[in-house]
Amino acid sequence: MTVANQKGGVGKTTTAVNLAAALSMHGQRVLVVDLDPQGNASTAMATEHRAGTPSVYHVLVDDLPLSEIVKPVPEMPNLFCAPATLDLAGAEIELVPMVGRETRLKRALGAFDAMEFDYILIDCPPSLGLLTVNAMAAAQEVLIPIQCEYYALEGLSQLLKNVELVRAHLNPALAVSTILLTMYDGRTRLAAQVADEVRSHFGDTVLNSVIPRSVRVSEAPSYGQSVMTYDPGSSGAMAYSDAAREMAHRAAALAEA
Ligand code: ADP
Ligand code: MG
């Protein structure tokens, strides 16, 4: 599942890391692939990602097997991280002349199938470039975090158009399966308006669970933790736990249908 939105700061990384942690605590085996050169997801998962560390960059550009970079996340038995380093910033350009440049990640994940994860969450950079295209080509589902702020819907049509292009040319299985409202501030009318607007546009794709704005959520990464372990009783942790449960129920319902 690809976590994408070309806007920065909408909660992609926070969502990838915390949903992954929540799913893993529900007993699922989960891998987070960090596809943002900033490596914020790697930081939040306490996974080494200094420049030069074997990383997603080497997988995409040098054909290093994914299994050689995947690391278990400390204290989290079912959670794994494929780290990103700043090297990845160059990949956007280095990939351009390569054969199958849009499907390098898909190939790497295909060769890696044996390890059997229940969920693979790919944390995208804030752009619609080749890295995000690689993520969309490799995934079955797109999860779009939407920040409950003014202009929340701006740029979404561009994102959806790109999903369509990838579906048409690279990955017929791709669908926007999940939209998650993030950084919801219940004290403002604006947040409620944005949430209503998103729900009226996207209907059932939007999870019922809404992630509140919470200081605990923003503090957790500096401790190399998800909010799920940093403060399990906090509103943010409970919201991500609810969202994970909702996603698992949906997956189960789909499997039965
Ligand atoms: P993106 O990956 O889309 O750029 P991030 O997940 O890094 O966005 O979030 C942007 C900033 O907002 C970060 O500083 C993060 O800690 C903060 N943030 C994200 N979600 C929440 C939340 N629910 N409550 C408070 N702060 C949040
Ligand atoms: Mg991010």
Side-chain angles (χ1 to χ4, degrees):
M1 174 178 280
T2 287
V3 181
N5 187 330
Q6 76 275 28
K7 269 204 219 181
V10 299
K12 287 181 292 295
T13 299
T14 305
T15 293
V17 167
N18 289 303
L19 265 187
L23 286 163
S24 78
M25 291 163 89
H26 290 164
Q28 311 283 331
R29 232 174 118 80
V30 188
L31 170 65
V32 174
V33 177
D34 191 350
L35 215 56
D36 186 341
Q38 297 302 322
N40 295 148
S42 309
T43 302
M45 301 175 89
T47 303
E48 176 65 63
H49 65 102
R50 270 175 298 189
T53 306
S55 70
V56 167
Y57 169 81
H58 302 95
V59 171
L60 294 178
V61 174
D62 297 335
D63 285 319
L64 187 70
L66 194 56
S67 56
E68 294 194 18
I69 69 154
V70 167
K71 296 282 182 289
V73 175
E75 321 283 334
M76 300 293 289
N78 293 316
L79 189 57
F80 298 79
C81 175
T85 63
L86 273 176
D87 305 305
L88 195 56
E92 201 80 67
I93 289 163
E94 287 175 63
L95 285 172
V96 171
M98 289 191 174
V99 176
R101 61 190 176 186
E102 293 100 349
T103 49
R104 310 277 301 176
L105 182 62
K106 184 190 176 81
R107 264 190 15 171
L109 282 167
F112 176 72
D113 233 348
M115 276 183 77
E116 281 188 20
F117 286 93
D118 297 303
Y119 286 89
I120 298 178
L121 299 181
I122 307 171
D123 184 30
C124 286
S127 76
L128 292 172
L130 262 179
L131 289 171
T132 296
V133 169
N134 262 273
M136 288 185 182
Q140 288 167 333
E141 301 178 47
V142 181
L143 184 162
I144 306 177
I146 295 183
Q147 185 181 1
C148 296
E149 290 283 346
Y150 199 53
Y151 293 133
L153 297 176
E154 195 186 68
L156 267 187
S157 60
Q158 189 68 36
L159 175 58
L160 296 175
K161 205 179 294 167
N162 276 54
V163 171
E164 276 313 312
L165 283 171
V166 170
R167 198 211 321 264
H169 297 288
L170 294 169
N171 182 8
L174 189 67
V176 176
S177 66
T178 313
I179 290 176
L180 180 61
L181 297 165
T182 65
M183 292 184 244
Y184 186 87
D185 184 345
R187 295 167 307 181
T188 70
R189 275 187 54 195
L190 178 63
Q193 283 169 359
V194 170
D196 283 348
E197 197 179 343
V198 170
R199 288 192 192 284
S200 69
H201 266 270
F202 295 102
D204 287 346
T205 307
V206 188
L207 291 181
N208 293 320
S209 319
V210 172
I211 310 303
R213 188 174 277 286
S214 141
V215 178
R216 308 302 270 167
V217 170
S218 57
E219 286 172 351
S222 56
Y223 297 87
Q225 287 185 49
S226 71
V227 74
M228 307 308 300
T229 55
Y230 176 64
D231 190 351
S234 65
S235 60
M238 289 192 287
Y240 274 114
S241 182
D242 285 348
R245 194 172 309 117
E246 223 183 319
M247 281 170 51
H249 282 158
R250 285 183 175 198
L254 269 181
E256 260 172 43

